[in-house]
């Protein structure tokens, strides 16, 4: 199957008229969603643990997506989608891959690529962010949980409205994001569970390496400004010791 083949039959896309602006709205929402997650992680004591887990889960998900993209190429999801001609050389492939990487896969940042449909990277990222916020936010933040659910729902809806992915792409991304997040987080928080025996996943060695100190992360507010103060204090102490050593040398 090639990108230029006829559009595949999709009952949902056939029933929903394409809204061109929905693609931009989706990416603006996703970018804002990523920003919210970054701020949330930054303003908590275990920010490094949350960042490590989030990046590891995303890496595992996108590795699975890489395998899927390499093993199947679906035709464009609507006939008028503009796709570049087939790459003529390895240099052209590297150039295009760099453009996608630098643009984080977002069309508004110049990262659009045809054929990378199953499964949706936008829906996958939003799924992982949703589960991360839902898992680590205190239960008393009811309004934040509702807003989290609404944004996580709006992103797949705008993808469907834009016709930038088939319905199966969204289903696949939501399933992969949910399963990988829940499995990784469960194993990272339960020391008594033998992952190799009960959940034999290929990325278990990565989890065992990154999550040697298994812990349940409880949200506690912490301003990152104290890190700047600590760094400043450390530099002052280092300078003072240096001056002392120079004075003793004289």
């Amino acid at each position: 199957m090639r990108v230029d083949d006829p559009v595949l039959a999709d009952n949902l896309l056939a029933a929903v008229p394409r809204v061109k602006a929905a693609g931009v709205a989706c990416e603006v929402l996703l970018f804002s969603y990523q920003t919210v997650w970054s701020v949330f992680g930054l303003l908590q004591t275990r920010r490094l643990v949350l960042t490590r887990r989030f990046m590891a889960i995303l890496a595992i998900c996108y590795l699975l997506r890489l395998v899927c993209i390499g093993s199947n190429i679906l035709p464009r999801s609507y006939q008028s989608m503009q796709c570049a001609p087939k790459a003529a050389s390895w240099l052209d492939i590297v150039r295009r891959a760099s453009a996608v990487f630098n643009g984080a896969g977002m069309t508004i940042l110049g990262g659009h690529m045809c054929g990378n449909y199953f499964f949706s990277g936008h829906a996958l990222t939003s799924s992982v962010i949703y589960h991360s916020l839902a898992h680590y936010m205190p239960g008393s933040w009811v309004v934040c949980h509702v807003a989290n659910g609404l944004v996580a729902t709006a992103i797949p809806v705008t993808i469907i409205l834009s016709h930038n992915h088939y319905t199966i792409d969204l289903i696949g991304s939501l399933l992969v994001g949910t399963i990988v997040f829940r499995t990784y987080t469960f194993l990272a928080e339960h020391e008594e569970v033998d992952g190799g025996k009960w959940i034999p996943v290929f990325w278990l060695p990565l989890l065992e390496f990154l999550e040697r100190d298994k812990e349940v992360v409880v949200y506690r507010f912490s301003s990152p400004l104290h890190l700047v103060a600590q760094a400043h204090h450390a530099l002052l102490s280092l300078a003072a010791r240096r001056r002392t050593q120079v004075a003793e040398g004289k």
Side-chain angles (χ1 to χ4, degrees), residues 57-241:
I57 291 170
L58 267 189
I60 294 166
C61 290
Y62 273 92
L63 180 60
L64 294 170
R65 185 171 185 260
L66 179 64
V67 173
C68 291
I69 290 176
S71 60
N72 66 86
I73 300 177
L74 300 180
R76 65 192 77 191
S77 51
Y78 60 92
Q79 200 59 45
S80 60
M81 179 182 288
Q82 298 297 318
C83 296
K86 187 176 181 179
S89 65
W90 280 103
L91 182 60
D92 196 14
I93 294 174
V94 172
R95 189 182 297 113
R96 293 184 185 184
S98 299
V100 173
F101 178 80
N102 294 333
M106 292 190 178
T107 304
I108 59 175
L109 299 178
H112 175 72
M113 183 174 69
C114 293
N116 61 335
Y117 289 113
F118 189 81
F119 37 86
S120 167
H122 289 49
L124 173 66
T125 302
S126 68
S127 173
V128 175
I129 295 175
Y130 165 76
H131 287 293
S132 299
L133 288 172
H135 185 77
Y136 294 112
M137 276 196 305
S140 58
W141 294 12
V142 178
V143 175
C144 293
H145 280 284
V146 172
N148 183 34
L150 290 176
V151 175
T153 303
I155 290 175
V157 169
T158 53
I159 293 175
I160 290 294
L161 290 175
S162 67
H163 287 206
N164 283 338
H165 274 282
Y166 293 104
T167 306
I168 190 64
D169 303 333
L170 301 185
I171 295 174
S173 61
L174 297 178
L175 285 175
V176 170
T178 300
I179 292 172
V180 173
F181 177 86
R182 291 190 177 278
T183 304
Y184 187 101
T185 305
F186 178 79
L187 293 177
E189 293 182 346
H190 294 80
E191 189 174 2
E192 69 279 5
V193 177
D194 184 358
K197 180 179 180 181
W198 296 106
I199 312 176
V201 289
F202 72 92
W203 41 264
L204 190 62
L206 174 66
L207 183 143
E208 294 295 341
F209 174 74
L210 294 178
E211 308 294 341
R212 293 188 297 271
D213 301 323
K214 298 186 177 182
E215 63 174 312
V216 176
V217 178
V218 178
Y219 181 83
R220 292 187 179 87
F221 174 81
S222 173
S223 172
L225 295 179
H226 81 280
L227 297 177
V228 178
Q230 289 178 355
H232 182 255
H233 179 72
L235 290 174
L236 292 178
S237 300
L238 182 62
R241 286 198 299 270

